[in-house]
Amino acid sequence: MASPAPSFPVRIVRAEQAAADIHLFELRDARDAPLPEWSAGAHIAVRSPNGSLRKYSLCNDPAERDRYVIAVKRDPHGRGGSVDLVDNTRVGDTVAIGPPHNAFDLAPRAASFVFIAGGIGITPIMSMMRTLNADGRRYRLYYLTRSREHTAFADELAGGDFRGKVLMHHDEGDPERSFDLWPVLEKPTGAHVYCCGPRPLLEAVRDMTGHWSKAAIHFESFVDAGAAAKPDDQPFTVVLARSGDRIEVPPGVSILEAMRARGHEAPSSCESGTCGTCRTTLLAGEADHRDLVLMDDEKATQVMICVSRARTPEIAIDR
Ligand code: FES
């Protein structure tokens, strides 16, 4: 299932800066009713005043039923949704949200957890660590940011139940000062690894965990087809082998979105190439893989239709 569309109103009761370019919003039901239940790692879709729809992870404690807290990175180079939400809403305003959806949930039987957060990727991990603190379960967080002033939740993570479980590293924008994750990931330990952050961090962790059990490595990213678009993307045709339908897929639109626009459904969850739900057999043509799921030996015969495109003018898939 994709994230549900915004369906109910919530009131902004608190809005404040949490770090450079990162803004915290506390949302409550517009009629002060309890909010739908959720689990650690979940996100909601938020409609900003200009109609943009974006997903934001919940970062408070899932045990709280009276509020949702999100942290929004104001990205002037994005597609405008985050800037609109930060600049054009005030405390007291109402925005429409969808119910929580989780494509990044905690493994219930894992003995321990390694969290790797890059920048705003800390948000789902905050709710996960709050849940683990309450349950007394083991974890360690590696939190990688540009500088202390770009680090949301820095004060909170330095104390309380987080004390001794968090390593923060600031590279000051210098690639030479990147944190070396290899000593952390070199030996599979039985822990489950959860990584959320920018694409290069996700790819680095994927490359360093090829020798881990696939089931123990989890990624989340909110890069959708539009945000993942490249300037030289070309339109292509996807052929749905079961019906024979031929569908044009323009730049900035995913195969999945193009299929839906023509009335075809397919299972999906993260819609950012990280969960594997939309895995589809590739029957002909060459895919331009943009997911973090497929192994090299699967790429000739499988494709993640939520983010990947085609290198050939036409591809055929088993849908
Ligand atoms: S829906 Fe998660 S990889 Fe496509």
Side-chain angles (χ1 to χ4, degrees), residues 22-309:
I22 298 178
H23 298 258
L24 212 64
F25 290 87
E26 181 177 330
L27 311 170
R28 293 183 184 251
D29 182 84
R31 295 169 304 272
D32 289 323
L35 291 161
E37 287 186 51
W38 58 287
S39 55
H43 65 265
I44 55 173
V46 180
R47 182 85 69 193
S48 67
N50 71 6
S52 297
L53 188 61
R54 298 287 179 273
K55 299 172 188 171
Y56 298 106
S57 294
L58 298 170
C59 51
N60 54 312
D61 185 338
E64 297 171 342
R65 294 292 313 281
D66 57 345
R67 64 175 192 153
Y68 293 152
V69 180
I70 58 173
V72 177
K73 180 172 183 190
R74 186 184 181 282
D75 181 6
H77 307 297
R79 290 176 299 148
S82 63
V83 171
D84 187 42
L85 193 62
V86 170
D87 291 0
N88 298 324
T89 61
R90 298 288 175 271
V91 169
D93 287 357
T94 295
V95 292
I97 67 168
H101 177 73
N102 201 342
F104 196 49
D105 39 1
L106 286 167
R109 284 187 290 282
S112 62
F113 298 84
V114 172
F115 296 116
I116 301 169
I120 192 67
I122 188 65
T123 50
I125 290 170
M126 287 303 296
S127 70
M128 295 167 137
M129 293 189 299
R130 295 185 202 287
T131 293
L132 297 178
N133 283 341
D135 294 349
R137 297 171 72 191
R138 283 194 298 139
Y139 67 85
R140 183 149 179 84
L141 165 67
Y142 299 86
Y143 185 14
L144 316 178
T145 68
R146 184 184 182 89
S147 69
R148 169 79 187 199
E149 67 159 349
H150 289 86
T151 305
F153 309 108
D155 289 342
E156 185 179 3
L157 289 170
D161 288 341
F162 298 109
R163 191 184 301 278
K165 303 171 185 171
V166 177
L167 186 151
M168 287 187 223
H169 177 84
H170 314 305
D171 66 10
E172 308 297 337
D174 179 358
E176 297 286 308
R177 296 173 67 175
S178 294
F179 185 75
D180 181 7
L181 285 165
W182 181 240
V184 178
L185 300 170
E186 183 178 6
K187 292 194 185 74
T189 59
H192 276 238
V193 176
Y194 287 75
C195 178
C196 185
R199 186 84 182 185
L201 176 65
L202 270 56
E203 288 175 349
V205 169
R206 180 197 54 189
D207 293 346
M208 283 187 232
T209 53
H211 57 304
W212 285 60
S213 158
K214 248 176 117 178
I217 310 297
H218 312 262
F219 295 106
E220 174 126 294
S221 115
F222 290 122
V223 177
D224 58 24
K230 297 178 183 171
D232 56 350
D233 278 349
Q234 300 294 322
F236 63 94
T237 300
V238 61
V239 180
L240 307 187
R242 298 180 199 176
S243 62
D245 268 12
R246 302 172 61 82
I247 301 173
E248 280 296 303
V249 184
V253 173
S254 69
I255 296 172
L256 184 62
E257 289 166 339
M259 284 173 55
R260 283 190 182 137
R262 287 278 288 272
H264 296 277
E265 265 312 325
S268 72
S269 182
C270 70
E271 300 196 0
S272 58
T274 55
C275 75
T277 306
C278 68
R279 177 189 288 260
T280 299
T281 299
L282 177 64
L283 299 170
E286 188 185 347
D288 176 2
H289 295 286
R290 297 184 182 182
D291 65 275
L292 288 158
V293 177
L294 291 176
M295 309 300 284
D296 283 346
D297 61 356
E298 298 175 310
K299 290 182 175 173
T301 57
Q302 308 279 305
V303 60
M304 295 298 166
I305 57 174
C306 65
V307 287
S308 296
R309 299 185 61 80

